[in-house]
């Protein structure tokens, strides 16, 4: 089974379990919200002989397929933002204050892909505005980049996970079509993929300590995995490697001008 299909099926199942449908009572799904356009006329049987009619429509909504459809229909970044804002299949949206779509300059050569909004980002509706974001700005400034001029920033998840918990695979699967379209529409020269969850979502790999600093390709673009700034706040010794990666990014931008 294709991975999008697999994660879609898994997400649909998890969603149903969350809604309380944790028992299988029929061979086919019953969508009780599906109102038929016309009510079929049934000949009235004598009251005693009536048996309840069970309707078994075959249509179930696959959140990943819906995401693929609406994301691919977006023809520009505003359209994509609107499509995300209207997408109702991700539970994270219900607990979030704001959609966190992007910050920086659309069309910049560098696109940074983070993991998910935290508290500050949720409040402001912008990625990387908390402590990790301030460190990110300093890191970028060290190689003469800045979000107001030369960088575009987004996250794998556009809504804050409760208590900043890790993204679930089904949430990532649902948001992946939006992220892929986001990259297509922003069309950067280079992707900087920060943190393990972003690497998992974009490169299909984890293990940031091994991946970081090694240029690879994602969505047809050169991609540089790097430590997440939040990790650097907790592990200042790793700033040494982060600095090496920033220099590598600077050199790449210079050499591919
Ligand atoms: N961490 C992220 O990965 N993204 C943000 O926007 C903020 C913190």
């Amino acid at each position: 089974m294709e991975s999008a299909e697999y994660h879609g099926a898994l997400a649909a199942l998890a969603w149903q379990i969350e809604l309380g449908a944790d028992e299988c009572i029929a061979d086919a799904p019953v969508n009780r919200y599906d109102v038929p356009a016309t009510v079929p006329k049934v000949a009235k049987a004598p009251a005693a002989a009536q048996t309840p009619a069970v309707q078994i429509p075959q249509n179930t909504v696959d959140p990943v397929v819906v995401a693929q459809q609406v994301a691919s229909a977006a023809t520009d970044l505003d359209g994509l933002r609107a499509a995300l804002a209207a997408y109702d299949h991700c539970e994270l949206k219900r607990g979030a204050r704001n959609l966190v779509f992007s910050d920086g300059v659309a069309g910049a050569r560098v696109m940074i892909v983070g993991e998910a909004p935290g508290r500050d980002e949720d409040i402001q509706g912008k990625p990387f505005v908390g402590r990790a974001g301030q460190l990110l700005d300093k890191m970028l400034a060290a190689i003469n980049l800045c979000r107001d001029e030369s960088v575009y920033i987004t996250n794998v998840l556009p809504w804050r996970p409760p208590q900043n918990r890790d993204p679930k695979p089904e949430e990532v699967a649902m948001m992946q079509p939006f992220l892929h379209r986001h990259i297509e529409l922003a069309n950067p020269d280079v992707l900087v993929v920060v943190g393990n969850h972003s690497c998992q979502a974009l490169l299909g790999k984890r293990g940031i300590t091994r991946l970081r600093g090694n240029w690879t390709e994602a969505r047809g673009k050169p991609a540089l995995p790097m430590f997440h700034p939040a990790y650097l706040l907790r592990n200042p010794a790793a700033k040494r490697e982060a600095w090496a990666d920033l220099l590598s990014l600077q050199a790449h931008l210079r050499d591919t001008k």
Side-chain angles (χ1 to χ4, degrees):
M1 197 188 269
E2 258 189 52
S3 103
E5 238 181 290
Y6 168 79
H7 286 297
L10 202 64
L13 203 58
W15 190 57
Q16 286 177 18
I17 291 168
E18 267 180 50
L19 291 179
D22 55 3
E23 209 178 317
C24 185
I25 53 167
D27 288 340
V30 181
N31 184 352
R32 298 193 188 281
Y33 295 99
D34 195 20
V35 183
T38 53
V39 180
K41 284 196 181 117
V42 180
K44 261 205 169 170
Q50 264 186 13
T51 49
V54 179
Q55 263 206 332
I56 308 182
Q58 299 302 309
N59 59 325
T60 49
V61 173
D62 180 336
V64 179
V65 172
V66 176
Q68 282 162 348
Q69 286 167 346
V70 297
S72 63
T75 54
D76 57 21
L77 291 169
D78 285 344
L80 188 66
R81 181 198 286 266
L84 252 180
Y87 183 79
D88 277 334
H89 298 281
C90 183
E91 283 300 315
L92 294 176
K93 182 180 181 184
R94 287 179 238 302
R97 288 182 222 203
N98 280 303
L99 169 72
V100 177
F101 184 68
S102 70
D103 196 21
V105 181
R109 293 188 71 200
V110 178
M111 180 168 181
I112 296 174
V113 180
E115 298 181 337
R119 184 175 173 276
D120 296 310
E121 291 76 20
D122 183 43
I123 292 170
Q124 294 190 39
K126 277 188 189 176
F128 283 102
V129 291
R131 277 185 70 222
Q134 286 156 20
L135 176 57
L136 179 65
D137 286 341
K138 284 188 194 153
M139 291 162 67
L140 295 173
I143 54 166
N144 296 318
L145 295 176
C146 99
R147 70 170 85 194
D148 294 335
E149 284 171 13
S150 44
V151 171
Y152 187 63
I153 307 177
T154 192
N155 281 313
V156 173
L157 298 184
W159 293 290
R160 181 192 184 195
Q163 278 84 47
N164 297 345
R165 66 152 168 75
D166 286 348
K168 294 183 185 174
E170 61 268 28
E171 290 161 353
V172 174
M174 264 186 246
M175 291 302 118
Q176 222 166 22
F178 291 101
L179 177 62
H180 292 173
R181 189 73 181 132
H182 205 154
I183 294 168
E184 266 169 27
L185 293 169
N187 195 22
D189 289 347
V190 165
L191 291 165
V192 177
V193 189
V194 297
N196 248 328
H197 294 293
S198 315
C199 286
Q200 178 70 58
L202 265 185
L203 312 176
K205 292 179 195 162
R206 295 180 74 89
I208 190 66
T209 312
R210 206 172 11 93
L211 295 172
R212 61 136 285 275
N214 294 307
W215 283 91
T216 180
E217 205 185 83
R219 311 306 301 165
K221 311 271 180 202
L224 179 65
M226 281 187 64
F227 281 136
H228 195 288
Y231 174 82
L232 297 174
L233 287 172
R234 294 191 302 272
N235 302 276
K239 284 183 183 168
R240 188 183 144 101
E241 281 87 7
W243 176 236
D245 299 346
L246 287 168
L247 291 178
S248 171
L249 173 62
Q250 187 180 44
H252 179 96
L253 292 172
R254 188 186 54 228
D255 297 346
T256 56
K257 225 176 207 165

